[in-house]
Amino acid sequence: MKTSKQISLVLGSLIMFFSAQTVLSQKYNVNKNASSMKIEGTSNIHDWEMVAEDFKGNLNVEVNDGQLVAITALDFTVVAESLKSGKGGMDKNTYKALKTDNNKNIIYQLNKVKEIDCTSKTRCIVSTSGYLTIAGTKKPVDIVFNAYINGGTITLSGNQDISMTSFNVEPPSAMFGTITTGEDLNIRFQITFSK
């Protein structure tokens, strides 16, 4: 009798232990109203930036006791012609360089997470490798970003340098070539995903 009580107690303790350690898999979608992305570049006259106005994405994560432990999927798509500079001529030249007639979207797909370093329960630094497709050219890219967990949302923020020519994009020019843009860009993002 005593032995069966001890067994029940041990089994109950194990169940409680594993319940406390349960890793929850959760899916999130981009919240456009709480997100922003812009592309910064240079020219022989002045610096410039374009803001992405139309994008979507999905994020699948595993969470243990409210803390991020794994990212199992991350996909993000920007409609190329939703990039706006506030200057129609520059936008038109950018779309031509991005070959938007045949390549409507700029796409990022996560390949794997190299490391998740959580400095607190709500903030982690995530090192990843994935694939970025611009103007129909797909290239591997390593991105490090911050992940902030706040209740039902996860926000990914950071920035990434890329070279247009590595994606076979000829830097746009204007005014018969008298205004030329540099080939290096910086993509700044703060993307919030909600359940």
Side-chain angles (χ1 to χ4, degrees), residues 12-25:
S13 298
L14 285 171
I15 289 169
M16 286 179 64
F17 173 78
F18 285 113
S19 295
Q21 299 298 314
T22 299
V23 174
L24 299 175
S25 181

Side-chain angles (χ1 to χ4, degrees), residues 107-132:
I107 301 167
Y108 172 80
Q109 295 173 305
L110 176 72
N111 181 36
K112 70 176 181 178
V113 174
K114 297 178 179 178
E115 182 181 14
I116 296 178
D117 179 16
C118 293
T119 56
S120 71
K121 193 171 182 178
T122 59
R123 179 179 180 265
C124 301
I125 301 169
V126 184
S127 300
T128 66
S129 66
Y131 294 98
L132 184 61

Side-chain angles (χ1 to χ4, degrees), residues 96-108:
K96 183 178 177 182
L98 292 175
K99 307 166 191 146
T100 58
D101 285 346
N102 297 314
N103 303 284
K104 302 296 184 187
N105 298 315
I106 297 168
I107 301 167
Y108 172 80

Side-chain angles (χ1 to χ4, degrees), residues 47-87:
D47 293 347
W48 55 269
E49 70 177 38
M50 300 187 87
V51 175
E53 296 183 349
D54 191 8
F55 46 82
K56 62 183 179 180
N58 302 295
L59 174 68
N60 290 2
V61 301
E62 292 178 358
V63 176
N64 187 354
D65 192 27
Q67 181 170 315
L68 181 69
V69 294
I71 297 176
T72 56
L74 172 59
D75 298 290
F76 190 77
T77 300
V78 176
V79 176
E81 290 191 2
S82 80
L83 294 170
K84 304 293 183 184
S85 67
K87 297 174 183 172

Side-chain angles (χ1 to χ4, degrees), residues 39-42 48 134 160-164 182-187:
I39 298 171
E40 299 174 340
T42 61
W48 55 269
I134 299 175
Q160 180 70 24
D161 292 325
I162 66 163
S163 166
M164 283 190 270
E183 69 174 77
D184 296 323
L185 303 175
N186 184 258
I187 302 171

